[in-house]
């Protein structure tokens, strides 16, 4: 009986482990009306980032996180694509 009790506890732990698989970073959908993509950092909220700002910002929030980790960094669409922008545009 003790074994089944431990199994029951183990199942609860597995459910908690699933929460650990939630993305730490989420990149919102691609939009052509801005040079930025909205990026959400767990426990910090959303911020607009340009491509050159993305990886440094990821490292600032999560120093050990690989920005290419598809489990921890979720792109809503078009991974690693950013809207076209040319210097001088608004």
């Amino acid at each position: 009986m003790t074994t089944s009790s431990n199994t029951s506890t183990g199942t609860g732990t597995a459910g908690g482990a699933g929460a650990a698989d939630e993305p730490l970073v989420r990149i919102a959908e691609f939009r052509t009306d801005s040079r930025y993509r909205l990026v959400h950092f767990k426990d910090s909220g959303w911020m607009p980032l340009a491509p050159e700002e993305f990886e440094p910002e990821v490292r600032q929030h999560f120093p050990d996180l690989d920005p290419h980790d598809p489990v921890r960094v979720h792109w809503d669409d078009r991974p690693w694509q950013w809207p076209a922008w040319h210097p001088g545009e608004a």
Side-chain angles (χ1 to χ4, degrees), residues 64-76:
D64 298 327
L65 178 64
D66 175 4
H68 296 270
D69 181 341
V71 174
R72 309 302 293 185
V73 179
H74 173 79
W75 295 76
D76 282 354

Side-chain angles (χ1 to χ4, degrees), residues 43-87:
D43 300 328
S44 294
W46 291 94
M47 62 178 22
L49 295 177
E52 64 274 7
E53 300 169 319
F54 177 69
E55 288 193 48
E57 198 68 36
V58 169
R59 286 189 187 97
Q60 180 179 343
H61 288 272
F62 304 105
D64 298 327
L65 178 64
D66 175 4
H68 296 270
D69 181 341
V71 174
R72 309 302 293 185
V73 179
H74 173 79
W75 295 76
D76 282 354
D77 62 0
R78 300 187 192 189
W80 292 100
Q81 291 184 21
W82 299 84
W85 178 81
H86 305 285

Side-chain angles (χ1 to χ4, degrees), residues 9-33:
T9 302
T11 302
T13 303
D21 289 340
E22 291 178 17
L24 294 174
V25 181
R26 179 178 165 218
I27 300 84
E29 71 277 352
F30 186 93
R31 297 179 56 183
T32 58
D33 61 346

